Amino acid sequence: MTYTIKEVAEKVGWSAYTLRFYDKQGLLPFVSRNQSGYRAFTDGDLHLLHTIICLKNTGMAISDIRQYIDYVMAGPDSIPQRRALLTAHRNAILAEQAKIMKNLQEVDYKLNLYNDPQASELVNQELAQAKSEKQASGLADPFPVTE
């Protein structure tokens, strides 16, 4: 079974324009054209497209996605290169995930503070501490709020 670019766009949630852009960037060399010259996607193409979308969604640069697709097109001899590229990308995803989790912890800390029944008192304590540090350092008080 084959799919038109419009059908594929609907299936993957991208616009036909985006698919054409990715094709022009050399990311879809596996997509054939029918007798009329239109792109004709197969189920196998959709599997590769799913991988491309995953790589894009996880922050891989277009140039690296292109390299990965070049490796795919080269066949099984490129498995070591594919493995190296995806391992490096996986490590980058894990580093980003750790950074996000650290930031999420700060957001959760603040939400817990603001949800505390004593939130006003706790915020006033933080404000007093910040003002005290500014004063001890001989700096102007940028906080307009007075206690």
Side-chain angles (χ1 to χ4, degrees):
M1 173 167 219
T2 62
Y3 306 96
T4 66
I5 196 165
K6 181 180 178 184
E7 291 169 328
V8 171
E10 290 172 5
K11 284 181 175 291
V12 302
W14 279 5
S15 68
Y17 173 83
T18 300
L19 289 168
R20 286 185 196 97
F21 172 79
Y22 272 63
D23 191 16
K24 289 176 184 168
Q25 294 299 307
L27 301 179
L28 307 179
F30 49 86
V31 176
S32 299
R33 294 197 179 245
N34 64 20
Q35 293 175 339
S36 300
Y38 295 110
R39 292 169 189 86
F41 293 80
T42 63
D43 288 323
D45 295 340
L46 292 178
H47 290 295
L48 271 173
L49 189 55
H50 175 74
T51 301
I52 290 169
I53 291 168
C54 170
L55 296 175
K56 180 199 176 292
N57 288 344
T58 54
M60 184 179 272
I62 288 179
S63 59
D64 289 337
I65 297 172
R66 184 181 312 110
Q67 182 63 71
Y68 175 77
I69 293 300
D70 288 347
Y71 290 149
V72 169
M73 299 303 289
D77 290 344
S78 67
I79 288 174
Q81 293 92 337
R82 294 185 217 185
R83 186 173 36 246
L85 182 64
L86 291 179
T87 298
H89 184 60
R90 183 178 193 281
N91 290 338
I93 293 168
L94 290 172
E96 185 65 23
Q97 185 180 37
K99 188 170 96 177
I100 289 170
M101 287 306 297
K102 186 175 179 179
N103 289 325
L104 181 60
Q105 288 173 349
E106 177 66 16
V107 170
D108 286 343
Y109 168 78
K110 289 298 184 180
L111 282 172
N112 288 334
L113 174 73
Y114 302 144
N115 287 325
D116 190 289
Q118 302 298 318
S120 291
E121 183 180 320
L122 295 170
V123 168
N124 278 331
Q125 289 173 4
E126 283 186 340
L127 182 58
Q129 177 65 31
K131 287 175 174 260
S132 175
E133 288 174 355
K134 297 290 184 186
Q135 185 178 23
S137 298
L139 299 172
D141 181 0
F143 300 100
V145 178
T146 59
E147 292 180 36

